[in-house]
Amino acid sequence: MQLEVGTILEGKVSGITKFGAFVTLPEGKSGLVHISEIANSYVNEVSEHLSMGQTVKVKVISVSEEGKISLSIRKALPPPPAPPKREYAPRQQSSGQQSARAPFPRAQATSGNQSFEDKLKQFMADSDSKNSGNRLYNTDKRSGNNRRRK
């Protein structure tokens, strides 16, 4: 029987090492299940997941020209269930508290009957305020006023 990549077979664990387990396949052939291909979770010790003589389902993942067979138990298993989707709700903030992401207070909501010019004036005032704060921060940063003194 010629082994093809993607074939799922049953075999017996014939040897356990630090880096994986050897599995005897039908017709006396043997292949290696690398430690990373044993389970969908992290495997620290192969012997915690497999024991000698245990029958396992394996999937052929490669066959080298020298005849070395790489196997996977993990890929022969059904895929693990997807974690449930989490729904995120916006955080509630107290009235005087600002968001941690917003360095400047947000503009107060005004009535919807402002003219374009009034909205533009408000925007320009907010923008100038933010720009002056940025300039002050950058000036202090460049002059070295923010260094720790001994």
Side-chain angles (χ1 to χ4, degrees):
M1 173 179 142
Q2 184 67 21
L3 291 177
E4 294 181 20
V5 174
T7 307
I8 295 178
L9 305 165
E10 278 198 5
K12 284 193 176 196
V13 177
S14 59
I16 294 178
T17 64
K18 284 193 221 178
F19 54 86
F22 289 96
V23 176
T24 303
L25 301 171
E27 296 185 13
K29 294 186 179 184
S30 181
L32 173 70
V33 179
H34 189 265
I35 191 169
S36 64
E37 295 293 333
I38 291 175
N40 287 320
S41 60
Y42 178 75
V43 176
N44 191 33
E45 288 288 325
V46 177
S47 59
E48 292 175 1
H49 294 270
L50 299 173
S51 60
M52 292 290 290
Q54 178 181 354
T55 302
V56 291
K57 276 192 172 185
V58 291
K59 182 174 184 177
V60 178
I61 53 176
S62 71
V63 179
S64 71
E65 292 177 10
E66 298 89 32
K68 293 182 180 179
I69 303 167
S70 296
L71 304 169
S72 173
I73 296 172
R74 176 171 72 99
K75 291 180 181 175
L77 299 172
K85 288 192 175 190
R86 292 177 55 183
E87 293 187 25
Y88 295 97
R91 292 185 180 179
Q92 298 295 323
Q93 294 180 354
S94 61
S95 59
Q97 190 180 21
Q98 292 183 28
S99 168
R101 294 183 184 181
F104 299 102
R106 294 186 179 207
Q108 297 295 325
T110 56
S111 63
N113 52 354
Q114 274 187 322
S115 69
F116 175 76
E117 287 79 18
D118 292 337
K119 290 180 184 179
L120 183 60
K121 284 180 188 176
Q122 181 65 41
F123 172 79
M124 293 299 290
D126 291 344
S127 179
D128 288 342
S129 172
K130 290 177 185 179
N131 282 335
S132 65
N134 287 341
R135 274 189 233 109
L136 180 63
Y137 173 76
N138 286 332
T139 302
D140 283 349
K141 197 172 180 182
R142 287 184 191 131
S143 67
N145 290 340
N146 62 346
R147 292 187 186 143
R148 182 183 283 179
R149 297 188 180 161
K150 294 181 181 180

